[in-house]
Amino acid sequence: MESSSTQASTGKEFKRPYRLGIALSGGGARGFAHAGALMAIEEAGLKPDVIAGVSAGSVVAVLYAAGVSPKEIPQLFAESGFSSFAKLRIQHGGFFNPGRFRDFILKRIAPANRLEDLKLPVYLGVTDFDNARPAEFHTGEIGPRMIASCSIPLVFPPVEIDGVNYVDGGLMRNHPAWIIRDKCDYLIGVNCSPLPGKLDSADSILGVAMRTYHIMLRSNQIKDMASCDLSIETPEISRYKVFDLKNITTVFTSGYIHTRRALREAGLWKQAEHINTTEQ
């Protein structure tokens, strides 16, 4: 595979700082498919140089970059439910307080406290709620930035960072390819937010709200999926709800199987040298 280094207007070759990048979409509990995808990527002999995540993808990105193995990630949550991580608190712009979840993750990535402390460069996609625009973090304290990336409006309150309110990155860009596309030679994107085939409960206000949210996510990630050199989807997990932690193993396996198949079809299985071997 040829290098995707670009030519500047001066005619000089511009080399991107990373060889292989991984972009992980949002998707709630379906984000465990990302852990399966990362396991397949490792088994293929590929080693990411940079990773970006939105919402659930940001959680997996942080854990992985801290040194938690893909197989360990779902095991951390195996005995948990939504109530284990979020406390009902109908105030301050959201129904639930995600403090327990933040502390749970920080405990498992200690002593890392800032994004710069992680073993891999990590970019977290968020939405600048005050100015209605997508944004990203790649430096600073992990806790508030990761939680901001996951803060679905109304479900969780906005997170204030440096005087600006941030919410779930999926609100505007559910796929973080846009953050690192120009920073890596080869980009693998994983989408774990396929649009559900039908509404689970037509009479449920929450069901209608989540269906609306899914349609929004799907429509705003099409361009970013297309910008990846290899784009992977896990369609059968669409039937699982955003906060469903009962099917972690199934979701993880789906991510693994689809990614393994995609890497084989792309000729990348055990062929890491195909990813731009030019000296950096």
Side-chain angles (χ1 to χ4, degrees):
M1 180 175 297
E2 296 180 358
S3 167
S4 55
S5 296
T6 59
Q7 294 286 120
S9 59
T10 59
K12 294 182 179 180
E13 185 182 67
F14 169 74
K15 288 189 176 181
R16 296 182 172 120
Y18 306 112
R19 290 172 55 199
L20 176 60
I22 308 295
L24 307 177
S25 77
R30 290 172 298 197
F32 288 105
H34 292 320
L38 287 168
M39 187 168 80
I41 287 168
E42 285 189 347
E43 288 185 4
L46 302 173
K47 184 178 180 181
D49 300 298
V50 62
I51 186 166
V54 166
S55 199
S58 73
V59 177
V60 174
V62 165
L63 287 169
Y64 183 72
V68 180
S69 74
K71 195 171 184 178
E72 289 179 294
I73 291 174
Q75 294 173 355
L76 294 177
F77 299 84
E79 303 300 323
S80 304
F82 178 73
S83 61
S84 302
F85 300 119
K87 182 180 180 180
L88 182 63
R89 186 198 66 176
I90 308 176
Q91 58 181 344
H92 303 304
F95 287 104
F96 296 94
N97 181 342
R100 293 175 181 172
F101 181 66
R102 176 200 60 220
D103 295 342
F104 176 83
I105 298 297
L106 290 178
K107 181 178 179 180
R108 279 146 186 82
I109 65 172
N113 180 59
R114 299 176 63 84
L115 290 168
E116 303 96 306
D117 299 333
L118 297 171
K119 299 175 182 179
L120 277 176
V122 170
Y123 290 75
L124 305 182
V126 295
T127 297
D128 177 340
F129 201 50
D130 293 341
N131 299 293
R133 63 189 180 190
E136 57 86 9
F137 290 112
H138 60 277
T139 60
E141 291 185 22
I142 295 169
R145 287 157 178 79
M146 180 191 68
I147 292 301
S149 184
C150 300
S151 291
I152 299 173
L154 296 183
V155 178
F156 302 111
V159 177
E160 183 177 338
I161 300 173
D162 297 329
V164 178
N165 288 298
Y166 295 94
V167 296
D168 195 312
L171 183 62
M172 297 192 75
R173 301 292 285 268
N174 192 50
H175 198 297
W178 67 275
I179 303 174
I180 59 172
R181 172 63 279 184
D182 65 347
K183 296 177 176 63
C184 51
D185 289 323
Y186 196 90
L187 180 59
I188 297 175
V190 184
N191 172 34
C192 68
S193 289
L195 183 64
K198 62 180 181 179
L199 191 62
D200 291 332
S201 177
D203 299 323
S204 165
I205 293 176
L206 181 60
V208 173
M210 293 312 299
R211 176 68 172 186
T212 302
Y213 186 66
H214 289 144
I215 292 172
M216 177 188 66
L217 297 187
R218 177 67 184 183
S219 63
N220 77 32
Q221 65 191 8
I222 293 174
K223 181 179 178 181
D224 288 305
M225 289 170 59
S227 74
C228 297
D229 296 291
L230 179 62
S231 189
I232 301 163
E233 286 197 277
T234 52
E236 70 274 5
I237 66 174
S238 65
R239 65 181 182 273
Y240 299 122
K241 296 179 180 179
V242 171
F243 302 119
D244 178 7
L245 295 177
K246 298 178 181 179
N247 295 284
I248 290 175
T249 301
T250 301
V251 171
F252 174 89
T253 302
S254 174
Y256 173 78
I257 291 173
H258 281 280
T259 302
R260 182 180 61 180
R261 180 184 302 137
L263 291 170
R264 289 184 182 278
E265 291 176 352
L268 297 176
W269 194 261
K270 303 293 184 181
Q271 297 294 324
E273 64 272 15
H274 284 194
I275 306 293
N276 184 24
T277 56
T278 305
E279 290 293 329
Q280 302 296 303

